[in-house]
Amino acid sequence: MPFITFEGVEGSGKSTQLARAAVKLRETGREVFDTREPGGTAIGRKIREILMDVSHAHLDPAAEWLLLEADRRQHVVEAIRPALARGVFVLCDRYSDSTTAYQAAGRGLDAEGVEFVDAIARDGLAPDLTLLYDVMPGEGLARARSRDGGTGRFEAADAAFHERVRLAYLEIARRRPERVRVLPAAGTPDEVFRSTWAALTRAFPL
Ligand SMILES: Nc1ncnc2c1ncn2[C@@H]1O[C@H](COP(=O)(O)OP(=O)(O)OP(=O)(O)O)[C@@H](O)[C@H]1O
Ligand SMILES: [Mg+2]
């Protein structure tokens, strides 16, 4: 069954759109497993706490990356693959493209090394569809700040970091047009959701 990932810069609307998609898919009678990274399992939630803690400003970039890969491995094995085997729609808030964008492009880690280890972490599992919410990083950060003060470790990174992340996402979309749909995300939540639903129903006629 379909494995769909939601990607984009901070505050681009991933979680908002995923929640709406889950509601509407359930309304159409589909069973949905909605989850997120990091933190999709009990072990992953402990890893998430380490990653998000703003007192961990000195967390080494490669240590950060490997924690994310540990979270992903546990998530795929314990939760995502079993859900796909049950035949439900799996909607995941961030997945491997986040690591390519944030840890390789954003933090500057070796892209080939990241790709190699990530393939182990996700056990070779690739999404069937990725929705990439594209918004200028400044706009997304402003939304995230009005939501919760924007106090996370990633939100605290400088503007150039977020610009690298955005461009890396667009490069992934350019290289994987069969998997990734770029959805402009500057409009209202309702407008963006029309694009979300159109992309989902086009890929998986309901
Ligand atoms: N299209 C939109 N226009 C304006 N505000 C929005 C839009 N979509 C979501 N928001 C609001 O912006 C904030 C960030 O949205 P959301 O949490 O969905 O983004 P996100 O991509 O999941 O962020 P993060 O990367 O921090 O997880 C929330 O307060 C949300 O209500
Ligand atoms: Mg979110």
Side-chain angles (χ1 to χ4, degrees):
M1 275 303 269
F3 176 33
I4 302 154
T5 59
F6 290 65
E7 295 282 3
V9 298
E10 308 296 306
S12 54
K14 301 174 292 297
S15 304
T16 301
Q17 296 296 318
L18 188 153
R20 289 187 176 209
V23 167
K24 193 149 178 180
L25 283 167
R26 288 182 182 120
E27 281 171 4
T28 67
R30 307 286 157 156
E31 198 181 328
V32 175
F33 173 58
D34 54 314
T35 186
R36 70 170 178 180
E37 291 194 352
T41 64
I43 290 169
R45 283 186 277 285
K46 294 187 176 176
I47 296 174
R48 184 182 179 92
E49 276 180 32
I50 298 171
L51 286 163
M52 298 303 161
D53 189 333
V54 283
S55 76
H56 295 168
H58 59 298
L59 180 62
D60 174 80
E64 171 186 275
W65 162 51
L66 293 166
L67 285 165
L68 286 159
E69 300 293 13
D71 169 78
R72 179 161 303 130
R73 175 74 195 191
Q74 191 65 30
H75 193 205
V76 167
V77 170
E78 183 183 324
I80 297 177
R81 278 209 192 274
L84 291 170
R86 286 201 311 278
V88 309
F89 269 73
V90 176
L91 308 184
C92 188
D93 195 336
R94 296 193 178 282
Y95 191 62
S96 294
D97 296 330
S98 282
T99 310
T100 304
Y102 281 72
Q103 277 62 51
R107 300 288 196 217
L109 298 179
D110 174 64
E112 279 181 26
V114 168
E115 200 174 319
F116 180 80
V117 173
D118 189 74
I120 298 170
R122 61 189 168 80
D123 195 24
L125 179 67
D128 299 298
L129 175 68
T130 296
L131 304 179
L132 171 56
Y133 294 94
D134 185 48
V135 73
M136 298 303 280
E139 167 74 19
L141 286 165
R143 288 179 188 173
R145 279 190 199 106
S146 67
R147 178 191 58 202
D148 58 14
T151 49
R153 278 184 56 257
F154 292 104
E155 288 156 347
D158 63 24
F161 172 90
H162 294 288
E163 193 52 39
R164 287 196 297 279
V165 170
R166 173 170 182 254
L167 294 177
Y169 270 133
L170 293 174
E171 176 63 16
I172 293 168
R174 200 186 60 76
R175 278 194 283 145
R176 300 271 181 273
E178 70 294 346
R179 171 171 70 82
V180 183
R181 299 282 166 276
V182 182
L183 305 182
T188 66
D190 284 349
E191 285 166 352
V192 180
F193 188 66
R194 277 196 279 281
S195 313
T196 298
W197 192 247
L200 282 175
T201 51
R202 188 160 169 221
F204 310 104
L206 296 170

